[in-house]
Amino acid sequence: MMRIQISQALLARPHSQGWLVFNFIRKSAVLCSPEAVAWLERLDDWTSLDDLTATMAPDEASRNRQMLMTMLDADLLVAEGSAASRLEEEFLAKWKWGIAAAALHCATLNCEFMSLEESAAEQLAKLRVEPQPELVKSNGPAAIVLPPPGAVIASAGLLQTMVQRRTNRVPGCTTITLQQLGDCLYGGLAITGSVETPAGVLPLSITPSGGGPETLMRPMSMYPP
């Protein structure tokens, strides 16, 4: 006996001919008639398909069963125990950042939701054809040794500079010291730790990867004296 319910990954907006409904996990969209929307409102919990049509006349029952099966194919509904149902259950159990963030992650960024095991398997598959790059490159004996990070790296002034995130930057000709250069490179590029993953060791840097280092990594162009 098949039991069905509304998908837990739907977003909807009104349309002149009904409602446009988008499943952000399956990345599918469909224009729903008012009749289909009424079915979605009724199927908020697992319900037997036979029970839904038991009291209907044969022709009406056949038509409605066909509509419900079409809604299943369109990812508006899920069947209990199906692959789509299991994927949604895993999503609900593991995604901790709300529906809006899920829609951004799965739809706008075009990312697939996958389990930790699937993610690890994908990383390992990529690792077999594309080796992990070195975490740190050294210039060897020719390297210029910079001073260790100075007190300014932990000062409120530097943190305020990182928070303000300038968008209009004017280059200057001011000479900076090796200490200042070392502080900038430390703030933008320093690796302060690592984390173990199934695919290898990943570095933990001092600033976020979403643009945070730019304030410190791009403030200067260096030319030989």
Side-chain angles (χ1 to χ4, degrees):
M1 179 176 62
M2 178 186 290
R3 299 206 307 167
I4 57 177
Q5 74 169 7
I6 185 174
S7 168
Q8 304 300 300
L10 300 185
L11 298 174
R13 63 178 295 269
H15 187 276
S16 60
Q17 300 178 23
W19 281 81
L20 187 62
V21 182
F22 176 66
N23 186 312
F24 57 78
I25 292 181
R26 309 290 288 184
K27 296 183 177 62
S28 59
V30 62
L31 182 61
C32 289
S33 65
E35 187 177 6
V37 173
W39 276 116
L40 292 177
E41 293 174 347
R42 290 181 58 183
L43 293 170
D44 195 42
D45 200 357
W46 294 116
T47 307
S48 165
L49 186 58
D50 292 337
D51 291 344
L52 288 170
T53 58
T55 60
M56 298 178 182
D59 289 347
E60 182 185 9
S62 176
R63 182 177 65 83
N64 279 287
R65 288 179 72 95
Q66 183 177 1
M67 170 175 277
L68 292 169
M69 296 305 295
T70 300
M71 293 173 69
L72 271 171
D73 293 338
D75 302 317
L76 298 173
L77 303 174
V78 291
E80 189 174 30
S82 65
S85 172
R86 289 192 295 272
L87 182 63
E88 289 195 4
E89 288 172 1
E90 186 167 19
F91 163 74
L92 292 172
K94 295 185 176 180
W95 186 264
K96 307 299 183 184
W97 299 277
I99 295 298
L104 171 68
H105 178 80
C106 296
T108 307
L109 299 181
N110 199 32
C111 299
E112 298 288 346
F113 174 76
M114 60 179 67
S115 67
L116 292 176
E117 294 76 17
E118 290 172 327
S119 176
E122 188 169 289
Q123 293 177 56
L124 291 172
K126 183 177 181 180
L127 193 61
R128 284 192 287 270
V129 297
E130 185 178 333
Q132 184 176 0
E134 297 179 18
L135 296 181
V136 178
K137 293 184 178 181
S138 172
N139 289 321
I144 298 174
V145 180
L146 298 173
V152 68
I153 201 68
S155 70
L158 179 61
L159 293 178
Q160 284 298 106
T161 299
M162 295 171 67
V163 169
Q164 289 172 8
R165 297 296 305 281
R166 287 157 174 74
T167 55
N168 299 314
R169 301 167 189 172
V170 179
C173 298
T174 304
T175 301
I176 66 172
T177 66
L178 284 179
Q179 180 68 68
Q180 291 170 326
L181 174 60
D183 287 343
C184 285
L185 294 178
Y186 179 83
L189 298 172
I191 296 174
T192 57
S194 61
V195 60
E196 288 278 354
T197 74
V201 178
L202 297 179
L204 297 176
S205 60
I206 194 171
T207 47
S209 59
E214 291 297 313
T215 302
L216 298 173
M217 291 168 60
R218 309 289 185 186
M220 66 199 79
S221 296
M222 293 184 294
Y223 300 91

